[in-house]
Amino acid sequence: EDPEKKARVQRVADEIEALLDEAILGIEITAPVRTGGDMEGLFDLSKIDFDRLRESFEKGQKRTQTQKLRTAIERKLEELAALNPTRSSLVERFQELIAEYNAGSLNVERLFDALLAFVRDLDEEEGRAIREGLTEEELAILDILTKPEPELNDTELAMVRQVAKALLETLKREKLVLDWRLKERAKAAVRSAIQEALDALPPAYDDTLWQGKVAQTYEWVFDHYPGNTSLN
């Protein structure tokens, strides 16, 4: 074989490997190569063929498959965290994994295994609203009201769940009018509705905690309902 040709091929291979290493470090590949079916459903974690991903990984496509998995997780994390701010702990956990890889504490094999485990936790989190009998929006309010405190028994938790559902229903039906965030009276009405709804919280919420939950809930509503689109 022509030594010069072999050297050129090796240089290209080295450049590709370096690009994939950079992608793991957080430098986005702007035009990833999409080949065959292994990219199908990439950003729907429930549709990832983990057996195929693992098979490709073990055949030597380690950085490629790890990058695909990382990209899928990043997209899903963005989606889940945008819906529910209490999921910031998941974002931090993911960032810690990448930081450990960057620092050399994890090699690509251990990172891949850690990312697979992380995906399973994301699937669990994504299905939590259904298991709770809530919409994603209601679950977000429930999480704001219960995380990281107070500690609640089953009866109290059921009360808080009803508060979350009732509050969202009231806001959507009566308070989130067109451009409400631009009108002082409308903003005051939303805050008042939140206070009234949270008055039904159990005694585990003292005054300081209650006020904090009111502020957090109002902030979430302000961020998620601009008032210029139709409400679901």
Short mmCIF file of all heavy atoms in Angstrom, two decimals, residues 57-98:
data_model
loop_
_atom_site.label_atom_id
_atom_site.label_comp_id
_atom_site.label_asym_id
_atom_site.label_seq_id
_atom_site.Cartn_x
_atom_site.Cartn_y
_atom_site.Cartn_z
N PHE A 57 -21.12 0.59 20.00
CA PHE A 57 -20.09 1.06 20.92
C PHE A 57 -18.99 0.01 21.06
O PHE A 57 -17.80 0.30 20.98
CB PHE A 57 -20.71 1.36 22.29
CG PHE A 57 -19.73 1.90 23.30
CD1 PHE A 57 -19.44 3.26 23.34
CD2 PHE A 57 -19.11 1.06 24.20
CE1 PHE A 57 -18.54 3.77 24.27
CE2 PHE A 57 -18.20 1.56 25.13
CZ PHE A 57 -17.92 2.91 25.16
N GLU A 58 -19.40 -1.24 21.26
CA GLU A 58 -18.43 -2.31 21.50
C GLU A 58 -17.67 -2.68 20.22
O GLU A 58 -16.60 -3.29 20.29
CB GLU A 58 -19.15 -3.53 22.07
CG GLU A 58 -19.65 -3.27 23.49
CD GLU A 58 -20.44 -4.42 24.08
OE1 GLU A 58 -20.77 -5.36 23.32
OE2 GLU A 58 -20.73 -4.37 25.29
N LYS A 59 -18.20 -2.30 19.05
CA LYS A 59 -17.49 -2.54 17.80
C LYS A 59 -16.40 -1.50 17.56
O LYS A 59 -15.67 -1.59 16.59
CB LYS A 59 -18.47 -2.53 16.62
CG LYS A 59 -19.30 -3.79 16.51
CD LYS A 59 -20.24 -3.69 15.30
CE LYS A 59 -21.05 -4.98 15.14
NZ LYS A 59 -22.00 -4.89 14.01
N GLY A 60 -16.34 -0.53 18.43
CA GLY A 60 -15.27 0.46 18.30
C GLY A 60 -15.72 1.87 18.00
O GLY A 60 -14.90 2.78 17.98
N GLN A 61 -17.03 2.09 17.79
CA GLN A 61 -17.52 3.43 17.50
C GLN A 61 -17.81 4.16 18.82
O GLN A 61 -18.89 4.70 19.04
CB GLN A 61 -18.79 3.37 16.65
CG GLN A 61 -18.58 2.65 15.33
CD GLN A 61 -19.89 2.46 14.59
OE1 GLN A 61 -20.90 3.07 14.91
NE2 GLN A 61 -19.89 1.60 13.59
N LYS A 62 -16.85 4.15 19.69
CA LYS A 62 -17.10 4.57 21.07
C LYS A 62 -17.42 6.05 21.19
O LYS A 62 -18.39 6.44 21.81
CB LYS A 62 -15.90 4.19 21.94
CG LYS A 62 -15.69 2.69 22.05
CD LYS A 62 -14.54 2.32 22.94
CE LYS A 62 -14.42 0.79 23.03
NZ LYS A 62 -13.31 0.37 23.91
N ARG A 63 -16.58 6.87 20.58
CA ARG A 63 -16.82 8.31 20.72
C ARG A 63 -18.06 8.73 19.94
O ARG A 63 -18.81 9.60 20.38
CB ARG A 63 -15.58 9.08 20.26
CG ARG A 63 -14.40 8.89 21.22
CD ARG A 63 -13.17 9.65 20.75
NE ARG A 63 -12.09 9.52 21.70
CZ ARG A 63 -11.25 8.49 21.74
NH1 ARG A 63 -11.39 7.50 20.88
NH2 ARG A 63 -10.28 8.44 22.64
N THR A 64 -18.26 8.13 18.78
CA THR A 64 -19.45 8.47 17.99
C THR A 64 -20.72 8.15 18.75
O THR A 64 -21.63 8.98 18.86
CB THR A 64 -19.44 7.68 16.66
OG1 THR A 64 -18.24 7.97 15.96
CG2 THR A 64 -20.63 8.08 15.81
N GLN A 65 -20.81 6.95 19.28
CA GLN A 65 -22.03 6.54 19.98
C GLN A 65 -22.20 7.29 21.30
O GLN A 65 -23.33 7.62 21.69
CB GLN A 65 -22.00 5.03 20.23
CG GLN A 65 -21.91 4.18 18.97
CD GLN A 65 -23.01 4.53 17.98
OE1 GLN A 65 -24.13 4.82 18.36
NE2 GLN A 65 -22.67 4.51 16.70
N THR A 66 -21.11 7.58 21.96
CA THR A 66 -21.20 8.35 23.21
C THR A 66 -21.68 9.76 22.92
O THR A 66 -22.51 10.32 23.65
CB THR A 66 -19.83 8.40 23.92
OG1 THR A 66 -19.41 7.05 24.19
CG2 THR A 66 -19.93 9.16 25.23
N GLN A 67 -21.20 10.35 21.82
CA GLN A 67 -21.65 11.69 21.45
C GLN A 67 -23.13 11.70 21.10
O GLN A 67 -23.87 12.62 21.46
CB GLN A 67 -20.82 12.24 20.29
CG GLN A 67 -21.34 13.54 19.69
CD GLN A 67 -21.42 14.68 20.69
OE1 GLN A 67 -20.87 14.59 21.78
NE2 GLN A 67 -22.12 15.73 20.32
N LYS A 68 -23.58 10.69 20.36
CA LYS A 68 -25.00 10.61 20.03
C LYS A 68 -25.85 10.54 21.30
O LYS A 68 -26.87 11.22 21.42
CB LYS A 68 -25.27 9.37 19.17
CG LYS A 68 -24.78 9.47 17.74
CD LYS A 68 -25.08 8.19 16.99
CE LYS A 68 -24.57 8.25 15.56
NZ LYS A 68 -24.84 7.00 14.82
N LEU A 69 -25.41 9.73 22.23
CA LEU A 69 -26.15 9.58 23.47
C LEU A 69 -26.13 10.87 24.26
O LEU A 69 -27.15 11.30 24.81
CB LEU A 69 -25.55 8.43 24.29
CG LEU A 69 -26.30 7.99 25.54
CD1 LEU A 69 -27.74 7.62 25.20
CD2 LEU A 69 -25.58 6.81 26.19
N ARG A 70 -24.98 11.51 24.31
CA ARG A 70 -24.89 12.77 25.03
C ARG A 70 -25.80 13.83 24.42
O ARG A 70 -26.48 14.58 25.12
CB ARG A 70 -23.45 13.28 25.01
CG ARG A 70 -23.32 14.59 25.77
CD ARG A 70 -22.04 15.31 25.49
NE ARG A 70 -22.09 16.62 26.12
CZ ARG A 70 -21.19 17.57 25.95
NH1 ARG A 70 -20.17 17.35 25.16
NH2 ARG A 70 -21.31 18.72 26.54
N THR A 71 -25.81 13.90 23.08
CA THR A 71 -26.66 14.88 22.40
C THR A 71 -28.13 14.64 22.70
O THR A 71 -28.90 15.57 22.95
CB THR A 71 -26.42 14.83 20.88
OG1 THR A 71 -25.05 15.08 20.61
CG2 THR A 71 -27.26 15.87 20.16
N ALA A 72 -28.53 13.37 22.67
CA ALA A 72 -29.92 13.03 22.97
C ALA A 72 -30.29 13.46 24.38
O ALA A 72 -31.36 14.02 24.62
CB ALA A 72 -30.13 11.53 22.79
N ILE A 73 -29.39 13.21 25.32
CA ILE A 73 -29.65 13.58 26.72
C ILE A 73 -29.75 15.09 26.86
O ILE A 73 -30.64 15.61 27.55
CB ILE A 73 -28.55 13.01 27.63
CG1 ILE A 73 -28.67 11.48 27.70
CG2 ILE A 73 -28.65 13.61 29.04
CD1 ILE A 73 -27.53 10.81 28.43
N GLU A 74 -28.86 15.82 26.21
CA GLU A 74 -28.90 17.28 26.32
C GLU A 74 -30.23 17.84 25.82
O GLU A 74 -30.81 18.73 26.44
CB GLU A 74 -27.75 17.89 25.51
CG GLU A 74 -26.39 17.75 26.18
CD GLU A 74 -25.27 18.34 25.35
OE1 GLU A 74 -25.37 18.31 24.12
OE2 GLU A 74 -24.29 18.82 25.95
N ARG A 75 -30.71 17.31 24.67
CA ARG A 75 -31.98 17.79 24.12
C ARG A 75 -33.13 17.49 25.09
O ARG A 75 -34.01 18.32 25.32
CB ARG A 75 -32.24 17.12 22.78
CG ARG A 75 -31.26 17.51 21.70
CD ARG A 75 -31.47 18.97 21.26
NE ARG A 75 -30.54 19.33 20.19
CZ ARG A 75 -30.78 19.15 18.91
NH1 ARG A 75 -31.91 18.60 18.50
NH2 ARG A 75 -29.89 19.52 18.01
N LYS A 76 -33.15 16.26 25.61
CA LYS A 76 -34.23 15.90 26.52
C LYS A 76 -34.15 16.68 27.82
O LYS A 76 -35.18 17.11 28.37
CB LYS A 76 -34.19 14.39 26.79
CG LYS A 76 -35.29 13.89 27.73
CD LYS A 76 -36.68 14.27 27.24
CE LYS A 76 -37.06 13.59 25.95
NZ LYS A 76 -38.46 13.86 25.57
N LEU A 77 -32.96 16.91 28.33
CA LEU A 77 -32.80 17.70 29.54
C LEU A 77 -33.31 19.12 29.36
O LEU A 77 -33.96 19.68 30.25
CB LEU A 77 -31.32 17.75 29.95
CG LEU A 77 -30.85 16.74 30.99
CD1 LEU A 77 -29.36 16.91 31.23
CD2 LEU A 77 -31.61 16.86 32.30
N GLU A 78 -32.99 19.72 28.21
CA GLU A 78 -33.47 21.07 27.92
C GLU A 78 -34.99 21.11 27.98
O GLU A 78 -35.59 22.03 28.53
CB GLU A 78 -32.98 21.52 26.54
CG GLU A 78 -31.51 21.86 26.47
CD GLU A 78 -31.07 22.22 25.07
OE1 GLU A 78 -31.96 22.35 24.20
OE2 GLU A 78 -29.86 22.37 24.83
N GLU A 79 -35.60 20.10 27.37
CA GLU A 79 -37.07 20.04 27.33
C GLU A 79 -37.66 19.87 28.73
O GLU A 79 -38.59 20.59 29.12
CB GLU A 79 -37.47 18.86 26.44
CG GLU A 79 -38.96 18.59 26.37
CD GLU A 79 -39.25 17.31 25.60
OE1 GLU A 79 -38.56 17.04 24.59
OE2 GLU A 79 -40.16 16.57 26.01
N LEU A 80 -37.11 18.92 29.49
CA LEU A 80 -37.67 18.64 30.82
C LEU A 80 -37.42 19.78 31.79
O LEU A 80 -38.30 20.15 32.57
CB LEU A 80 -37.07 17.35 31.37
CG LEU A 80 -37.46 16.05 30.66
CD1 LEU A 80 -36.74 14.86 31.27
CD2 LEU A 80 -38.97 15.83 30.70
N ALA A 81 -36.23 20.37 31.76
CA ALA A 81 -35.90 21.46 32.67
C ALA A 81 -36.69 22.72 32.35
O ALA A 81 -37.03 23.49 33.25
CB ALA A 81 -34.40 21.74 32.64
N ALA A 82 -36.99 22.93 31.06
CA ALA A 82 -37.78 24.10 30.69
C ALA A 82 -39.19 24.01 31.26
O ALA A 82 -39.80 25.01 31.63
CB ALA A 82 -37.84 24.25 29.17
N LEU A 83 -39.71 22.79 31.35
CA LEU A 83 -41.06 22.59 31.88
C LEU A 83 -41.09 22.69 33.40
O LEU A 83 -42.10 23.09 33.98
CB LEU A 83 -41.58 21.21 31.46
CG LEU A 83 -41.93 21.02 29.98
CD1 LEU A 83 -42.16 19.55 29.68
CD2 LEU A 83 -43.16 21.84 29.62
N ASN A 84 -39.99 22.31 34.05
CA ASN A 84 -40.03 22.15 35.51
C ASN A 84 -38.68 22.54 36.10
O ASN A 84 -37.71 21.81 35.96
CB ASN A 84 -40.37 20.70 35.84
CG ASN A 84 -40.65 20.47 37.31
OD1 ASN A 84 -40.12 21.18 38.15
ND2 ASN A 84 -41.45 19.49 37.61
N PRO A 85 -38.60 23.70 36.77
CA PRO A 85 -37.31 24.19 37.28
C PRO A 85 -36.71 23.30 38.37
O PRO A 85 -35.50 23.37 38.61
CB PRO A 85 -37.66 25.58 37.83
CG PRO A 85 -39.12 25.53 38.13
CD PRO A 85 -39.71 24.63 37.09
N THR A 86 -37.52 22.48 39.03
CA THR A 86 -36.96 21.63 40.09
C THR A 86 -36.10 20.52 39.52
O THR A 86 -35.45 19.79 40.27
CB THR A 86 -38.08 21.01 40.95
OG1 THR A 86 -38.83 20.07 40.18
CG2 THR A 86 -39.01 22.08 41.50
N ARG A 87 -36.09 20.37 38.20
CA ARG A 87 -35.24 19.35 37.58
C ARG A 87 -33.81 19.84 37.39
O ARG A 87 -33.01 19.18 36.73
CB ARG A 87 -35.84 18.94 36.23
CG ARG A 87 -37.11 18.12 36.38
CD ARG A 87 -37.86 17.97 35.09
NE ARG A 87 -38.99 17.07 35.23
CZ ARG A 87 -40.08 17.09 34.47
NH1 ARG A 87 -40.18 17.98 33.50
NH2 ARG A 87 -41.06 16.23 34.65
N SER A 88 -33.48 20.96 37.97
CA SER A 88 -32.12 21.49 37.86
C SER A 88 -31.09 20.51 38.42
O SER A 88 -29.94 20.49 37.98
CB SER A 88 -32.00 22.84 38.58
OG SER A 88 -32.32 22.69 39.96
N SER A 89 -31.50 19.68 39.38
CA SER A 89 -30.57 18.71 39.94
C SER A 89 -30.13 17.69 38.89
O SER A 89 -28.99 17.21 38.90
CB SER A 89 -31.19 17.98 41.14
OG SER A 89 -32.38 17.30 40.75
N LEU A 90 -31.04 17.36 37.97
CA LEU A 90 -30.68 16.46 36.88
C LEU A 90 -29.66 17.12 35.95
O LEU A 90 -28.72 16.48 35.49
CB LEU A 90 -31.93 16.07 36.08
CG LEU A 90 -32.86 15.03 36.72
CD1 LEU A 90 -34.15 14.93 35.90
CD2 LEU A 90 -32.19 13.67 36.81
N VAL A 91 -29.88 18.40 35.67
CA VAL A 91 -28.95 19.14 34.82
C VAL A 91 -27.57 19.16 35.47
O VAL A 91 -26.54 18.93 34.82
CB VAL A 91 -29.45 20.57 34.57
CG1 VAL A 91 -28.43 21.36 33.75
CG2 VAL A 91 -30.80 20.55 33.87
N GLU A 92 -27.53 19.44 36.77
CA GLU A 92 -26.26 19.49 37.49
C GLU A 92 -25.56 18.13 37.48
O GLU A 92 -24.34 18.05 37.32
CB GLU A 92 -26.50 19.95 38.93
CG GLU A 92 -26.94 21.40 39.04
CD GLU A 92 -27.46 21.76 40.42
OE1 GLU A 92 -27.41 20.87 41.31
OE2 GLU A 92 -27.91 22.89 40.61
N ARG A 93 -26.34 17.07 37.65
CA ARG A 93 -25.76 15.73 37.62
C ARG A 93 -25.15 15.42 36.27
O ARG A 93 -24.06 14.86 36.18
CB ARG A 93 -26.84 14.71 37.96
CG ARG A 93 -26.34 13.27 37.99
CD ARG A 93 -27.48 12.34 38.34
NE ARG A 93 -27.26 11.00 37.81
CZ ARG A 93 -28.21 10.10 37.64
NH1 ARG A 93 -29.45 10.39 37.96
NH2 ARG A 93 -27.93 8.91 37.15
N PHE A 94 -25.83 15.81 35.20
CA PHE A 94 -25.32 15.59 33.86
C PHE A 94 -24.03 16.39 33.64
O PHE A 94 -23.04 15.88 33.10
CB PHE A 94 -26.37 15.99 32.83
CG PHE A 94 -25.93 15.88 31.40
CD1 PHE A 94 -25.77 14.63 30.81
CD2 PHE A 94 -25.66 17.01 30.65
CE1 PHE A 94 -25.35 14.52 29.49
CE2 PHE A 94 -25.24 16.91 29.33
CZ PHE A 94 -25.09 15.65 28.75
N GLN A 95 -24.04 17.64 34.07
CA GLN A 95 -22.86 18.47 33.90
C GLN A 95 -21.67 17.91 34.67
O GLN A 95 -20.51 18.00 34.21
CB GLN A 95 -23.17 19.90 34.36
CG GLN A 95 -24.13 20.63 33.44
CD GLN A 95 -24.61 21.95 33.99
OE1 GLN A 95 -24.52 22.21 35.20
NE2 GLN A 95 -25.12 22.82 33.12
N GLU A 96 -21.94 17.32 35.83
CA GLU A 96 -20.87 16.72 36.62
C GLU A 96 -20.25 15.53 35.90
O GLU A 96 -19.04 15.33 35.96
CB GLU A 96 -21.41 16.29 37.99
CG GLU A 96 -21.67 17.45 38.93
CD GLU A 96 -22.40 17.02 40.20
OE1 GLU A 96 -22.62 15.79 40.36
OE2 GLU A 96 -22.73 17.89 41.02
N LEU A 97 -21.10 14.74 35.22
CA LEU A 97 -20.58 13.60 34.46
C LEU A 97 -19.61 14.08 33.36
O LEU A 97 -18.53 13.52 33.19
CB LEU A 97 -21.72 12.82 33.81
CG LEU A 97 -22.51 11.85 34.68
CD1 LEU A 97 -23.65 11.23 33.87
CD2 LEU A 97 -21.60 10.76 35.23
N ILE A 98 -20.02 15.10 32.62
CA ILE A 98 -19.18 15.62 31.55
C ILE A 98 -17.90 16.23 32.13
O ILE A 98 -16.81 16.05 31.59
CB ILE A 98 -19.93 16.66 30.71
CG1 ILE A 98 -21.20 16.05 30.12
CG2 ILE A 98 -19.04 17.21 29.60
CD1 ILE A 98 -20.98 14.80 29.29
#
